[in-house]
Amino acid sequence: MGNKTLAIIKPDAVRKNLVGQIIAKITEAGFKIKAMKMVRLTKESAGGFYEVHKARPFYNDLVEYMTSGPCVPIALEKENAVEDYRKLIGATDPDQAAPGTIRKLYAANKAENAVHGSDSDENAAIEIAHFFSRKELLENYVD
Ligand code: IDP
Ligand code: MG
């Protein structure tokens, strides 16, 4: 069981000024912030990040959405991080998300759903490396 996951506060939530409230939910749930930045993704970066969804009908809209404004990637640490964080954010579609979850509270719809969460330990490592260099992770390390 791994202890790291990648969260992203997506552009819709940043536009709605929800960064603070979402981070509060995350830290109240016991996650530690290991690295964080605010960044406007290029099409190449967003397209690469969501490469696994390339064949899906919503891929182009997803890349457009993720590049529509700044987002806030956050490397998180907690025991059982991937599973616990996915439980905290709720289902992809906010209509299906459990009460009190971040997506239930803050997501507009299945496409613009406020936050990202890694789906496995392996992908968490890949996704953290997508946004944070080894140097950044070491220099900014918070124990
Ligand atoms: P996840 O974010 O809950 O892991 P994924 O299936 O990995 O969900 O999809 C990645 C992202 O693509 C979603 O968070 C959402 O922004 C978008 N997405 C997923 N399914 C749909 C859909 O059916 N229509 C439009 N956008 C979608
Ligand atoms: Mg996913």
Side-chain angles (χ1 to χ4, degrees):
M1 172 178 75
N3 66 347
K4 289 188 175 60
T5 194
L6 181 85
I8 306 176
I9 303 176
K10 292 178 172 182
D12 59 314
V14 175
R15 263 193 296 278
K16 292 177 188 162
N17 211 21
L18 293 168
V19 170
Q21 285 167 78
I22 291 173
I23 289 174
K25 287 270 171 208
I26 293 170
T27 52
E28 279 162 15
F31 292 87
K32 273 199 81 169
I33 295 173
K34 306 303 286 186
M36 177 165 78
K37 61 174 75 165
M38 189 162 182
V39 59
R40 176 91 182 247
L41 298 185
T42 62
K43 279 199 187 310
E44 291 68 35
S45 180
F49 185 79
Y50 281 118
E51 186 83 42
V52 304
H53 294 310
K54 202 162 184 147
R56 305 278 205 99
F58 58 81
Y59 179 75
N60 286 337
D61 287 345
L62 177 57
V63 171
E64 198 169 307
Y65 157 53
M66 289 301 292
T67 58
S68 67
C71 66
V72 179
I74 312 171
L76 294 172
E77 193 172 278
K78 182 184 183 296
E79 203 176 286
N80 201 31
V82 165
E83 196 184 332
D84 286 1
Y85 178 75
R86 293 218 42 124
K87 205 170 279 175
L88 177 69
I89 65 176
T92 308
D93 182 346
D95 287 344
Q96 314 282 317
T101 58
I102 291 175
R103 282 169 166 168
K104 186 57 145 194
L105 289 168
Y106 302 124
N109 53 58
K110 192 178 184 180
E112 305 215 344
N113 59 0
V115 284
H116 168 81
S118 308
D119 63 6
S120 67
D121 292 339
E122 188 192 354
N123 284 335
I126 292 167
E127 291 177 0
I128 288 169
H130 187 91
F131 288 105
F132 302 101
S133 66
R134 265 184 74 80
K135 187 163 175 277
E136 279 176 310
L137 290 168
L138 289 171
E139 282 177 354
N140 298 337
Y141 194 83
V142 182
D143 202 8

